[in-house]
C-alpha cells in the first residue's frame, strides 16, 4: 500500500466508525417512546420461529456497536503500528520486549509488560486506547431499554352518581283515599338503610364502580346533596338539656320526689334523640315517669332536621356504686352536640389508582337547611304541585319536595343508628343496657367522647368494685386463675372528636349511595346528570433510549481514536513512511537489523517458547538501511558455515 493511500484508509475507517455511531443513534432514536410490539417479528414468511422485537432491536444495536468498534480499532491499531516502528528504529531493545510490543494489541497480558512501558511508553499508551475502545461497544447497546409508562386518555362517560330525585329513597305509602290522594313519609327504604349501616360500620366510602372497569381512572363530579353540620350545644339550650337529663338520674334531689323510684332509675352514659317538635329536650315527663323521644327523624314540618347526642362520662355502675349522686354530678364533663341537615353542592374528585379508590370532597354553594315533611299530596290541588305550560302534562311534582324526601330518608337511616340510650341500672346488674342505638357498632365508637363506654365494657370504670370478670382477674390477688390468654385491649383514646366524625360519616354515606344502581339516575330521567370527562390511565411498555449515555461512550471512543490517529499521522510524517505489521514488513526490516548473538540452528524453526538467550539478546534497526544492508550481506556470505546455512538465514 502506498504512503498516500494508507492515511486515506485509516481516515475512511475513522469516518466509517463515526457514521455507524450516528446510524446507531438514529436507529435507537426512532424507537424511543414507541410501544414494544407483543408479537414476534416473522422470519422467512413465518416458516421459522419469530424473534422478539426487543431482542431484534438490541441485536441491531450490537451490530452497529461492533462494526463501529472494529473500524475505530483498525484506525487506532494502524496508528499504534506507526509509532511502534518509529520507536523500534530509534533504539536498541531486547528481543523479548519487541515480542511484547508486537503482541500488546492482541494479548492483554503483554500490555502489563514492564519492558514495553519502559522502552515504548508512548506506543503502550496508544495500545491502551485499543483496549478501551471495546467498552463503548458494550455500553452503547444497553442504552435502549424498555419501561412502563402511563398513557392518559380522556373520554366523556356516564359515571356512578346519586339521583336525589329518585323515588327509591323513601317509603311513601298512601294514607287517605279520595278525591285528593295523600301519601305520607314512611321512613327510608331498605336499600338506603343497608348502605348507611354498611358505611357506618366500615367507616369508609363503599366501593364504587370505576368507569369502564378501569383500574386507573379519575373524574370530578358536581351534584346537590345533603350535608350534616355538627356543633356543640351551649348556653341556655345546653342548660335546658342537662337539667332534663338530671331529672331522670338516681340523684339525691330526685330521691326526695314523691313517686320517683330511685332504685330503678338508669344512669345514662349516652343519649341521642331527635326533637319531635319545638322542644329540643330528650325526655318527656308524665309526673315521675319519663320517656325518651323515640323518633329517628325530626322535627317534622317544624324546623331543620336535627339530631342531638349527649355523652355523660360520669355514668356510674348501679351495682358497685349503691349511693346517690348530686344532680350536678350526673352531667359533669358532659358533651352535647347538635347535627343539622343542610342542602349543599358536592364537588367530588373520584379516582382509582391500581384499583384503590380515593375520594376528595369540597363543598360549593349551600342552599340552607332541610325541613323534613310528612305528607305528599297528588292531584290538581296538591300543595306540592306546580302548573306547567304543557297541555299533555298540566301538573308536575315540585322537584324540591322529592329531593327533600330523599334527603330526609338518608338522615332518618342515620338516626336509626344514632338515636337511643346506653346506660345501666339495678335491673341490668350493672350491665350496659342499649336501647335503640347501634352507635357502638360503628366507626363513631372510636371517638374520644365514646371511649369511656369501651372502657366500661372492660371493667375499667372509676366506680367502686369490680365491674367485670376481666377486671376481677386482672388484679392478680386471687386464687382464681384463667389458663387461657386474651389479647389485651391497649388502645389509647382517639383524638377524633365526635362532631367531626359524624360529619365525615354522613359525607361518606352520601358518596356511598352511588354504589347502588337503584339510587343512581335512570338514563331516561330529565334529571339524570350529564356525562363527565373521565381520564383513564393505562400502562404500556415502551422503548426508552438514553442518548446522553450513548454519546458519552461514543464520544470518549471518538476522542481516543482522534488522539491516536493524530499521533500515528505525526509518526508517518517523521518517518516519511507508512508501516504495517505484515510479515513482509518484518522480513524487510530484519535485513538491516543487528542482533547481539547468533541464532542456533535448532532455533531457526521458530518454535515456542523463545529461547532465553534470544529473549535477552539485543536487536536494533537502522533508520537508513541501505548501507547497513550491503555490509550485512557481505558479512553473511563470508560467515557461511559447514552446513551451508548463512548468517542471513539464521537472522531471518
Amino acid at each position: 500500500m502506498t504512503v498516500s493511500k494508507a492515511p486515506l484508509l485509516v481516515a475512511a475507517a475513522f469516518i466509517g466508525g463515526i457514521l455507524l455511531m450516528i446510524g446507531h443513534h438514529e436507529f435507537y432514536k426512532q424507537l424511543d417512546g414507541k410501544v414494544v410490539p407483543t408479537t414476534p417479528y416473522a422470519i422467512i414468511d413465518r416458516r421459522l420461529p419469530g424473534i422478539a422485537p426487543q431482542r431484534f432491536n438490541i441485536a441491531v444495536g450490537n451490530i452497529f456497536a461492533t462494526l463501529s468498534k472494529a473500524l475505530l480499532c483498525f484506525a487506532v491499531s494502524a496508528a499504534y503500528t506507526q509509532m511502534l516502528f518509529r520507536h523500534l528504529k530509534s533504539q536498541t531493545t531486547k528481543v523479548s520486549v519487541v515480542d511484547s510490543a508486537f503482541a500488546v494489541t492482541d494479548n492483554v497480558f503483554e500490555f502489563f509488560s514492564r519492558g514495553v512501558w519502559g522502552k515504548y511508553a508512548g506506543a503502550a499508551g496508544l495500545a491502551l486506547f485499543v483496549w478501551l475502545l471495546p467498552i463503548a461497544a458494550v455500553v452503547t447497546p444497553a442504552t435502549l431499554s424498555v419501561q412502563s409508562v402511563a398513557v392518559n386518555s380522556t373520554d366523556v362517560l356516564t359515571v356512578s352518581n346519586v339521583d336525589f330525585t329518585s323515588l327509591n329513597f323513601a317509603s311513601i305509602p298512601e294514607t287517605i283515599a279520595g278525591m285528593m290522594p295523600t301519601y305520607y313519609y314512611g321512613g327510608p327504604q331498605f336499600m338506603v338503610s343497608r348502605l348507611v349501616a354498611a358505611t357506618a360500620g366500615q367507616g369508609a366510602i363503599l366501593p364504587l364502580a370505576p368507569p369502564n372497569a378501569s383500574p386507573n381512572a379519575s373524574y370530578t363530579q358536581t351534584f346537590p346533596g345533603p350535608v350534616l353540620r355538627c356543633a356543640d350545644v351551649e348556653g341556655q339550650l345546653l342548660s335546658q338539656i342537662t337539667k332534663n337529663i338530671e331529672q331522670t338520674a338516681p340523684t339525691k334531689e330526685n330521691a326526695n320526689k314523691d313517686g320517683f323510684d330511685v332504685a330503678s332509675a338508669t344512669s345514662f352514659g349516652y343519649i341521642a334523640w331527635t326533637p319531635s317538635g319545638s322542644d329540643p329536650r330528650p325526655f318527656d315527663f308524665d309526673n315521675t315517669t319519663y320517656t325518651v323521644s323515640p323518633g329517628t327523624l325530626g322535627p317534622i314540618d317544624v324546623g331543620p332536621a336535627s339530631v342531638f347526642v349527649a355523652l355523660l362520662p360520669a355514668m356510674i355502675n348501679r351495682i358497685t356504686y349503691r349511693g346517690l349522686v348530686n344532680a350536678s354530678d350526673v352531667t359533669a364533663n358532659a358533651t352535647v352536640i347538635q347535627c343539622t341537615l343542610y342542602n349543599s353542592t358536592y364537588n367530588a374528585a373520584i379516582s382509582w389508582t391500581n384499583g384503590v379508590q380515593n375520594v376528595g370532597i369540597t363543598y360549593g354553594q349551600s342552599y340552607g337547611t332541610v325541613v323534613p315533611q310528612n305528607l305528599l299530596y297528588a292531584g290538581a290541588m296538591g300543595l306540592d304541585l306546580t302548573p306547567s305550560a304543557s297541555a299533555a302534562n298540566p301538573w308536575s311534582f315540585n322537584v324540591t319536595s322529592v329531593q327533600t324526601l330523599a334527603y330526609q330518608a338518608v338522615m332518618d337511616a342515620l338516626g336509626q343508628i344514632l338515636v337511643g340510650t346506653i346506660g345501666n341500672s339495678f335491673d341490668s346488674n350493672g350491665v350496659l343496657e342499649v336501647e335503640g342505638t347501634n352507635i357502638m357498632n360503628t366507626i363513631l365508637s372510636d371517638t374520644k367522647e365514646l371511649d369511656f363506654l369501651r372502657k366500661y365494657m372492660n371493667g375499667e370504670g372509676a366506680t367502686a368494685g369490680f365491674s367485670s370478670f376481666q377486671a376481677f382477674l386482672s388484679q392478680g390477688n386471687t386464687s382464681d386463675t384463667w389458663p387461657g390468654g386474651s389479647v389485651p385491649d391497649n388502645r389509647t383514646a382517639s383524638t377524633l372528636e365526635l362532631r367531626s366524625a359524624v360529619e365525615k360519616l354522613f359525607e361518606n354515606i352520601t358518596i356511598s349511595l352511588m354504589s347502588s344502581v337503584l339510587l343512581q339516575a335512570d338514563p331516561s330521567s330529565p334529571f339524570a346528570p350529564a356525562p363527565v370527562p373521565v381520564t383513564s390511565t393505562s400502562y404500556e411498555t415502551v422503548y426508552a433510549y438514553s442518548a446522553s449515555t450513548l454519546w458519552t461512550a461514543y464520544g470518549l471512543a471518538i476522542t481516543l481514536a482522534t488522539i491516536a490517529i493524530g499521533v500515528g499521522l505525526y509518526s508517518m510524517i517523521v518517518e516519511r513512511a507508512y508501516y504495517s505489521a505484515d510479515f513482509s514488513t518484518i522480513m524487510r526490516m530484519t535485513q538491516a537489523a543487528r542482533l547481539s548473538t547468533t541464532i542456533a540452528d535448532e532455533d531457526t524453526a521458530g518454535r515456542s517458547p523463545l529461547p532465553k538467550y534470544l529473549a535477552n539478546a539485543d536487536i536494533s534497526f537502522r533508520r537508513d538501511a541501505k548501507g547497513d544492508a550491503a555490509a550485512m550481506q557481505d558479512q553473511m556470505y563470508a560467515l557461511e558455515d559447514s552446513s551451508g546455512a548463512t548468517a542471513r538465514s539464521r537472522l531471518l
Side-chain angles (χ1 to χ4, degrees):
M1 184 182 298
T2 63
V3 176
S4 60
K5 291 182 179 180
L8 294 178
L9 183 60
V10 173
F14 178 68
I15 295 172
I18 294 177
L19 291 177
L20 285 170
M21 293 176 180
I22 296 174
H24 192 178
H25 164 72
E26 292 297 330
F27 178 69
Y28 276 3
K29 181 180 178 182
Q30 62 90 21
L31 290 173
D32 189 26
K34 289 187 177 180
V35 177
V36 179
T38 56
T39 56
Y41 292 147
I43 302 177
I44 312 180
D45 197 22
R46 302 183 181 273
R47 284 177 291 179
L48 292 177
I51 182 172
Q54 184 181 354
R55 292 182 180 179
F56 175 81
N57 292 321
I58 294 295
V60 173
N62 273 303
I63 293 173
F64 275 113
T66 302
L67 292 178
S68 63
K69 178 208 71 172
L71 292 178
L72 289 190
C73 283
F74 168 78
V76 174
S77 296
Y80 169 77
T81 302
Q82 309 314 305
M83 192 170 189
L84 174 61
F85 276 96
R86 184 163 66 90
H87 283 321
L88 288 175
K89 299 174 70 174
S90 66
Q91 55 189 315
T92 300
T93 312
K94 291 184 180 298
V95 172
S96 60
V97 175
V98 176
D99 268 357
S100 297
F102 272 95
V104 72
T105 57
D106 299 317
N107 187 342
V108 69
F109 297 104
E110 298 293 351
F111 179 75
F112 299 100
S113 170
R114 286 183 298 176
V116 172
W117 285 97
K119 284 288 186 177
Y120 310 127
L126 293 187
L128 175 63
F129 290 179
V130 176
W131 288 106
L132 291 178
L133 286 178
I135 296 177
V138 175
V139 173
T140 52
T143 56
L144 182 69
S145 60
V146 294
Q147 64 181 12
S148 181
V149 297
V151 179
N152 295 327
S153 60
T154 302
D155 300 291
V156 178
L157 303 172
T158 299
V159 297
S160 297
N161 57 74
V162 56
D163 179 19
F164 289 108
T165 65
S166 170
L167 297 178
N168 290 336
F169 281 86
S171 172
I172 315 173
E174 186 176 7
T175 181
I176 300 175
M179 295 297 295
M180 186 190 309
T182 305
Y183 303 88
Y184 70 96
Y185 171 73
Q189 294 199 26
F190 291 132
M191 177 58 70
V192 176
S193 297
R194 188 174 78 180
L195 293 176
V196 171
T199 307
Q202 183 172 314
I205 296 173
L206 300 181
L208 307 180
N212 292 337
S214 173
N216 297 281
S218 63
Y219 59 86
T220 300
Q221 189 177 20
T222 301
F223 60 93
V227 175
L228 206 58
R229 292 286 177 255
C230 301
D232 291 328
V233 176
E234 300 175 337
Q236 184 179 359
L237 179 57
L238 177 62
S239 178
Q240 292 176 0
I241 292 173
T242 55
K243 289 185 180 300
N244 180 262
I245 295 173
E246 291 168 2
Q247 291 175 341
T248 68
T251 64
K252 297 174 182 178
E253 291 83 352
N254 289 336
N256 296 325
K257 294 180 180 179
D258 292 337
F260 190 91
D261 187 1
V262 177
S264 63
T266 299
S267 178
F268 290 106
Y270 171 89
I271 307 169
W273 71 98
T274 60
S276 58
S278 58
D279 187 354
R281 295 178 297 179
F283 294 103
D284 294 326
F285 283 88
D286 181 10
N287 294 326
T288 57
T289 62
Y290 57 86
T291 57
V292 67
S293 176
T296 54
L297 176 69
I300 304 293
D301 296 325
V302 175
S306 300
V307 61
F308 288 86
V309 178
L311 287 308
L312 309 168
M315 178 189 69
I316 62 173
N317 187 317
R318 294 303 314 281
I319 295 299
T320 61
Y321 190 91
R322 298 180 180 277
L324 300 177
V325 297
N326 295 318
S328 59
D329 294 336
V330 174
T331 55
N333 300 318
T335 298
V336 182
I337 65 172
Q338 179 185 11
C339 298
T340 304
L341 187 64
Y342 287 82
N343 181 19
S344 187
T345 300
Y346 279 76
N347 298 311
I350 305 176
S351 63
W352 290 262
T353 303
N354 295 327
V356 178
Q357 178 178 288
N358 181 61
V359 180
I361 301 295
T362 59
Y363 295 99
Q365 182 178 356
S366 176
Y367 301 100
T369 58
V370 177
V371 178
Q373 60 187 42
N374 186 35
L375 299 178
L376 181 68
Y377 301 96
M381 300 301 294
L383 297 178
D384 291 303
L385 294 170
T386 56
S388 171
S390 172
N393 184 24
W395 301 94
S396 61
F397 279 100
N398 188 322
V399 176
T400 302
S401 295
V402 178
Q403 287 179 324
T404 299
L405 288 171
Y407 287 4
Q408 70 188 55
V410 179
M411 181 70 172
D412 195 356
L414 179 61
Q416 292 174 359
I417 295 175
L418 300 180
V419 171
T421 61
I422 301 176
N424 75 96
S425 65
F426 281 123
D427 293 338
S428 71
N429 291 318
V431 176
L432 288 178
E433 294 178 306
V434 180
E435 298 290 341
T437 182
N438 289 305
I439 191 170
M440 297 306 291
N441 300 332
T442 72
I443 189 66
L444 300 178
S445 63
D446 291 338
T447 57
K448 66 178 183 179
E449 290 88 348
L450 287 167
D451 189 61
F452 77 97
L453 289 176
R454 176 184 62 84
K455 291 180 177 179
Y456 185 93
M457 291 289 289
N458 293 332
E460 300 177 37
T463 56
F466 303 114
S467 57
S468 71
F469 181 64
Q470 293 91 331
F472 172 68
L473 293 180
S474 67
Q475 300 301 311
N477 54 3
T478 173
S479 60
D480 296 324
T481 59
W482 170 243
S486 302
V487 177
D489 188 353
N490 295 325
R491 290 178 295 173
T492 57
S494 171
T495 58
L496 179 62
E497 294 184 344
L498 180 62
R499 62 180 183 180
S500 300
V502 173
E503 291 178 351
K504 185 63 177 178
L505 172 59
F506 197 83
E507 177 185 285
N508 290 346
I509 288 171
T510 302
I511 302 300
S512 295
L513 297 174
M514 298 181 182
S515 65
S516 172
V517 176
L518 290 177
L519 304 181
Q520 295 184 21
D522 188 301
S524 63
S525 171
F527 307 110
V532 298
V534 177
T535 299
S536 299
T537 303
S538 60
Y539 290 88
E540 296 180 338
T541 302
V542 300
Y543 289 108
Y545 165 48
S546 177
S548 60
T549 303
L550 180 137
W551 281 116
T552 297
Y554 275 156
L556 290 174
I558 293 172
T559 301
L560 295 179
T562 302
I563 294 173
I565 292 172
V567 173
L569 182 61
Y570 172 76
S571 297
M572 288 178 59
I573 294 174
V574 171
E575 291 293 318
R576 296 182 180 180
Y578 174 83
Y579 295 96
S580 63
D582 299 332
F583 171 75
S584 60
T585 302
I586 305 300
M587 179 186 68
R588 287 179 288 151
M589 282 193 62
T590 55
Q591 294 297 312
R594 293 183 178 179
L595 187 65
S596 62
T597 187
T598 302
I599 303 175
D601 289 339
E602 61 270 18
D603 295 325
T604 58
R607 290 187 295 266
S608 292
L610 178 68
K612 189 173 182 179
Y613 77 93
L614 282 179
N616 293 325
D618 292 328
I619 188 170
S620 61
F621 303 90
R622 297 301 180 186
R623 289 184 178 278
D624 185 6
K626 293 181 179 179
D628 291 331
M632 182 68 70
Q633 184 176 15
D634 294 339
Q635 182 181 12
M636 287 179 179
Y637 283 117
L639 294 175
E640 183 176 347
D641 58 16
S642 60
S643 62
T646 64
R648 174 189 294 178
S649 64
R650 294 191 187 99
L651 185 61
L652 291 175

